Amino acid sequence: MPNPANEIKLAQERAKGLGVPLADLTGKLIPPQVLREMTEEAATFYQFVPLEKRGNVLDVGMLNPDDIKSQEALRFIAQNKNFVPKIFLITDNDFKNVLKQYRTLKEEVDTALSELEKELSVRDETAGNEDRKLEAESALERVMAEAPITKIVAVILRHANEGRASDIHIEPVEDRLKIRFRVDGILYTSLLLPRAIQPAVVSRIKILSSLKIDETRVPQDGRFHSVIDNNKIDFRVSTFPTAFGEKVVLRLLDPSQGVRTFEQLGLDGHNRQVVEEAIGKPFGMILLSGPTGSGKTTTLYAILKTLNEEAVNIVSLEDPVEYYIEGVSQSQIKPEIGYSFASGLRSILRQDPDVIMVGEIRDSETAELATHAALTGHIVLSTIHTNNAVGVIPRLTDMGVQRFLIPSALSLAMSQRLLRRLCTECKKAIEPAPKVKELLAREVAELPTTAKESVKDVDFKNLKIWQAPGCKFCAQKGTKGRIAIFEALTMTPQLEQIVVEGATEGKIAKEAARQGMTTMKQDGIIKVLRGVISFEELIGSVEVLQKEAAEE
């Protein structure tokens, strides 16, 4: 992935060599009337965009000011539009951002709605008698399913992808259809549409995902893919009946992003060491815990990627399959026909697997089968619902797994949460408030020896925290992307003894401290001191963790 800071530095050197100024478009929005000086088609083809107009002088940003064809095209447009061009060099990133401004979400949808209104007015003219009225209604159905609605849905999907959204919520309320995008874990209202088009929008998405259009009373799940900006994007679809009509939630899955590495996930230091030790063993369970949306499946995929070799047979049971991995036999369960995690796990054991991934241990039967699979010489990866790593063993016993089997079967219990990552382009170190500095110093002093290696380069006499005010690279949010905080509890002889005698979370927590486990809070402190996340983001996450522990 190109570094924006390096791109600007190279552009400055290139501008100097060409003898033209470099445009600074930081946080700049081009007024619509200026954009209309050039068509989007011309801007895209000749790679120049209008920036600002003063009188009859138009500032024009060019990717290649020395390109002869672009110069000739600009002269031609300037003569026809009667302006004098002033040339600036722009970066590729700025060029793409200006092109996006040509097609704002609201303007594109408004255009499609206008087209829809024109179509409807034409149909209304044919409603003179009953036969014509029926014909008009049939035509209306076609219109609602075809061009304008198709365009509205396509625009929503594209803007969600360009805005790095992980989910799209299409939600009917009393008098509007609300469109919300989830970006870095936070939902933002992006658009409000007329309530009347809700059935048509939902129907269009159902058509794309092969769902029943006439069934609106029960939830449905489906999937489709679309090519956006030359990338194939998978969309996982869920419909849900509400008081005001069906709500649709779409999860965006971009296969081009690939399966994440441990570094990209934020798995490092002692936590990474114990994970690598666990996956290096010939058999054993590795269980990840955390709430929905905490990135557990993404971490499982990263582990699968590490284990995926020609000599290894990997089989997975998933609900649903999110990313396809070459070399892994991935299967999606279908509970409605009796194909569950438990029944699938029985079949997997006859597939001569070396590594088994089970999407989630939900019941006693699956827990027992996964345990026996680990005991019979397989690496088993799965997720389980607990609030932290020390709660994994008690949850297994609650599910009916016999205590004496757990020490031999379980290699590693992990837990994780996702936090927003500070924008690398605008973050800066600041002096923390005295109370914050005192808290950080206390937390650093309590870090286990295994974790202190990760902060050895931090100046503890002059502790700093990081903040990001927002810039054009993060859409003025101050954050871009997310990173996980982890904790990982490994099976030791001491823990084996505790489990056999009757494990409680209190006893397991003491053993975790003895073996030097870095807790999620401590992993977050390390990431705060490194400038990866903000102190405020961590504090908010810690409060949630404490609330979950109190409710457990």
Side-chain angles (χ1 to χ4, degrees), residues 169-180 189 191-199 202 242-248:
H169 288 237
I170 300 174
E171 183 176 10
V173 291
E174 189 170 4
D175 57 349
R176 288 285 186 272
L177 181 63
K178 186 161 61 173
I179 312 296
R180 295 193 288 175
T189 298
L191 192 65
L192 293 172
L193 297 176
R195 174 75 173 74
I197 71 167
Q198 181 264 345
V202 173
T242 73
F244 298 110
E246 286 184 285
K247 176 182 177 178
V248 180

Side-chain angles (χ1 to χ4, degrees), residues 143-187:
V143 170
M144 295 291 268
E146 293 173 5
I149 293 299
T150 298
K151 184 174 181 181
I152 288 171
V153 172
V155 167
I156 291 170
L157 299 183
R158 191 183 72 241
H159 278 270
N161 181 61
E162 290 177 350
R164 301 182 299 106
S166 61
D167 301 86
I168 305 169
H169 288 237
I170 300 174
E171 183 176 10
V173 291
E174 189 170 4
D175 57 349
R176 288 285 186 272
L177 181 63
K178 186 161 61 173
I179 312 296
R180 295 193 288 175
F181 294 163
R182 186 180 294 279
V183 181
D184 295 340
I186 307 296
L187 272 174

Side-chain angles (χ1 to χ4, degrees), residues 109-269:
V109 172
D110 284 348
T111 301
L113 287 173
S114 297
E115 293 174 10
L116 180 59
E117 288 175 3
K118 289 178 184 177
E119 292 282 356
L120 295 183
S121 64
V122 170
R123 305 303 176 189
D124 286 344
E125 293 173 4
T126 68
N129 56 48
E130 195 61 31
D131 289 339
R132 287 184 177 178
K133 187 173 182 180
L134 290 172
E135 183 183 341
E137 288 174 354
S138 177
L140 172 61
E141 290 176 3
R142 290 197 301 272
V143 170
M144 295 291 268
E146 293 173 5
I149 293 299
T150 298
K151 184 174 181 181
I152 288 171
V153 172
V155 167
I156 291 170
L157 299 183
R158 191 183 72 241
H159 278 270
N161 181 61
E162 290 177 350
R164 301 182 299 106
S166 61
D167 301 86
I168 305 169
H169 288 237
I170 300 174
E171 183 176 10
V173 291
E174 189 170 4
D175 57 349
R176 288 285 186 272
L177 181 63
K178 186 161 61 173
I179 312 296
R180 295 193 288 175
F181 294 163
R182 186 180 294 279
V183 181
D184 295 340
I186 307 296
L187 272 174
Y188 300 92
T189 298
S190 300
L191 192 65
L192 293 172
L193 297 176
R195 174 75 173 74
I197 71 167
Q198 181 264 345
V201 170
V202 173
S203 293
R204 174 60 185 163
I205 293 171
K206 284 184 173 181
I207 289 170
L208 289 171
S209 43
S210 301
L211 299 179
K212 296 177 182 178
I213 299 175
D214 57 346
E215 180 55 83
T216 61
R217 300 164 300 171
V218 297
Q220 297 185 67
D221 295 317
R223 190 168 185 158
F224 69 94
H225 71 265
S226 180
V227 178
I228 301 175
D229 294 334
N230 297 320
N231 287 331
K232 179 184 172 183
I233 309 297
D234 289 326
F235 293 89
R236 204 170 76 200
V237 180
S238 173
T239 69
F240 185 76
T242 73
F244 298 110
E246 286 184 285
K247 176 182 177 178
V248 180
V249 175
L250 300 95
R251 167 67 57 88
L252 282 72
L253 303 168
D254 185 356
S256 69
Q257 296 294 322
V259 178
R260 304 292 179 88
T261 63
F262 288 159
E263 291 85 356
Q264 291 169 330
L265 293 174
L267 183 62
D268 51 22

